[in-house]
Amino acid sequence: MDRTAARPFRTRLVRPLLAASIAAALLPLAPPAASAAQSGRTPAVREQTADACPWGYTSAGTVFFGRDRADSGVPNRELGNGCTIMDAVWAEAPFASHGSFLLTVTRLTASAKRDGVISSTEQLRILLAAARSDVGKRQWVTRARAVPDRRIGLVLYTVRATMPTAPETTLAALAGCGYRNAEPSGAVNNFYGKTAAQLAPLVAGAGLTVPSLGVGLGDLENNLDGVIADARAFGAKYVRISGSGSWGLADYSRVAATLNTVGARLKQAGITVAYHNHGFEFTEQDGVRGYDVLVRETDPRLVAMELDLYWAASVGVDPVQLIQRYPGRFSLFHVKDLAADGSFADVGEGTIDFARIFAHSGVAGVEYYLTENDSPRPDGVSSACDSYANLRALRY
């Protein structure tokens, strides 16, 4: 049993909160931020400044440090200069320790409370969420943990060559080497040449479940009812899309707004929308990465991220740093490996240190680990089964 988890609620939370509160009281408060309107209040009149946080965290979400108990539920209110509470907190990241993170949150929320942005009750809720989070905590590789078999799946793009002509044989082979989950991708009513209603029974017949389904952005925008129907046919909990290398920052912002809108509708149907990255999202435009726009402008209660570990690593982005900056946002991992020459490799046969990344799974909020190889050799099924065996053997 986890001894920490077994401690009483008060012992686990009061000690760090008390230390943070006392320390914050001894520190000078942050310079006053321009007041933002809190529901039912009239803010003091202050001189407005230019938007200091373009493409930052919006007030659409909550003050969020991770899923469940690390989500305060307090609206991420504006501070008056275009910045929000979350902008102010993460402007001081990375945090050397959990204690330094708590001190930062305590100081900033004290300033926000003083300025009438949040109430005393809301400040306490934010502090409790911060204390419950893993932000700033060292995540060790113990080599004693394994990815649960029920959480491993395959992105069927790996076996796209045989799915249209031999779906039953392909799916049976995947199940035979151990897979329990699959992620089909396509468009509404067209998954490897079949409708969802036609393919879903074949997947189920092979003993596989579909936790996630890949569709296009156009499907979300123009045929959301069809997306919901297809997800329900497969029993999918997540519906994910990918982006375009031609997008500018305004496009990322527009897509973020779309994901929030459709995410609210999908959530009512028991489905979460997710965004799957490639490498282009990490290219800076005017000093801002499109990926950061997507994460910061989407509501964490409605929109998840499906982090493709290969594509992030291929452009020099450290997945661990992403997880530390955006805790709780990564419900899905695309687990695929990067060969030394930059090409695709089966999981465990390339250069990516999966153990180091998976040690942060709790912080990330990962639910499913979906293997993939965009250029499988000698064939899709062989490559997929090789990746499965290596992932099952991995200890982190």
Side-chain angles (χ1 to χ4, degrees):
M1 177 182 292
D2 183 349
R3 295 182 182 275
T4 301
R7 292 175 187 164
F9 171 84
R10 180 172 297 179
T11 303
R12 295 202 315 268
L13 294 180
V14 171
R15 195 172 294 168
L17 283 176
L18 182 59
S21 299
I22 293 173
L26 298 176
L27 293 172
L29 290 174
S35 298
Q38 182 182 358
S39 177
R41 297 188 182 187
T42 301
V45 176
R46 296 180 185 270
E47 181 181 353
Q48 294 296 308
T49 60
D51 187 342
C53 296
W55 290 290
Y57 290 94
T58 69
S59 55
T62 58
V63 180
F64 179 94
F65 306 120
R67 296 202 176 278
D68 301 323
R69 290 167 19 112
D71 179 0
S72 72
V74 176
N76 183 36
R77 296 198 175 94
E78 298 248 356
L79 299 174
N81 58 351
C83 296
T84 64
I85 298 169
M86 288 283 284
D87 286 318
V89 171
W90 291 109
E92 302 198 22
F95 300 100
S97 66
H98 188 62
S100 65
F101 168 66
L102 288 177
L103 286 173
T104 297
V105 175
T106 302
R107 173 170 52 82
L108 293 173
T109 55
S111 178
K113 183 182 72 172
R114 182 192 63 209
D115 287 344
V117 176
I118 58 174
S119 67
S120 296
T121 299
E122 289 172 328
Q123 182 193 25
L124 179 59
R125 287 166 60 190
I126 293 172
L127 290 174
L128 286 171
R132 292 164 175 160
S133 78
D134 287 326
V135 177
K137 294 180 181 178
R138 184 73 178 269
Q139 306 298 316
W140 299 98
V141 175
T142 65
R143 303 294 180 186
R145 295 165 294 190
V147 177
D149 195 41
R150 68 184 184 281
R151 300 299 181 189
I152 296 176
L154 176 72
V155 183
L156 293 184
Y157 186 72
T158 306
V159 291
R160 63 192 180 279
T162 55
M163 277 299 294
T165 57
E168 292 173 288
T169 301
T170 301
L171 294 168
L174 296 175
C177 70
Y179 281 105
R180 297 191 188 184
N181 303 290
E183 184 189 68
S185 58
V188 170
N189 282 326
N190 185 7
F191 297 90
Y192 315 104
K194 297 186 181 297
T195 66
Q198 292 170 333
L199 183 59
L202 302 183
V203 176
L208 300 170
T209 60
V210 176
S212 177
L213 183 67
V215 297
L217 176 59
D219 291 324
L220 291 183
E221 294 175 323
N222 304 313
N223 193 2
L224 192 57
D225 287 338
V227 171
I228 293 172
D230 283 0
R232 284 176 169 167
F234 282 110
K237 298 169 55 178
Y238 294 92
V239 169
R240 56 93 170 167
I241 65 161
S242 298
S244 168
S246 66
W247 286 354
L249 293 178
D251 296 305
Y252 285 106
S253 190
R254 176 186 63 80
V255 170
T258 297
L259 293 175
N260 284 333
T261 300
V262 301
R265 172 94 181 274
L266 289 169
K267 186 65 73 174
Q268 292 176 345
I271 303 164
T272 300
V273 67
Y275 182 87
H276 169 272
N277 65 280
H278 290 87
F280 50 76
E281 293 91 346
F282 300 105
T283 300
E284 288 193 1
Q285 302 180 42
D286 298 327
V288 179
R289 302 185 304 185
Y291 195 80
D292 296 313
V293 174
L294 287 170
V295 179
R296 296 174 185 178
E297 294 194 5
T298 50
D299 186 335
R301 296 167 299 176
L302 303 176
V303 182
M305 307 303 284
E306 181 177 69
L307 181 57
D308 189 303
L309 303 177
Y310 168 91
W311 284 115
S314 72
V315 293
V317 172
D318 182 2
V320 169
Q321 291 184 0
L322 285 177
I323 292 166
Q324 291 171 333
R325 178 161 288 274
Y326 301 121
R329 295 303 305 271
F330 304 97
S331 299
L332 306 165
F333 275 173
H334 268 198
V335 184
K336 57 189 185 187
D337 218 336
L338 175 68
D341 62 2
S343 63
F344 300 95
D346 290 340
V347 173
E349 299 179 9
T351 62
I352 295 178
D353 186 352
F354 291 110
R356 173 175 170 267
I357 297 170
F358 293 171
H360 293 78
S361 292
V363 183
V366 184
E367 191 171 0
Y368 290 98
Y369 302 74
L370 306 171
T371 72
E372 185 179 23
N373 190 324
D374 290 21
S375 300
R377 290 187 294 270
D379 59 77
V381 169
S382 298
S383 171
C385 291
D386 186 37
S387 288
Y388 173 82
N390 291 340
L391 183 55
R392 285 288 289 134
L394 178 70
R395 297 296 179 267
Y396 64 92

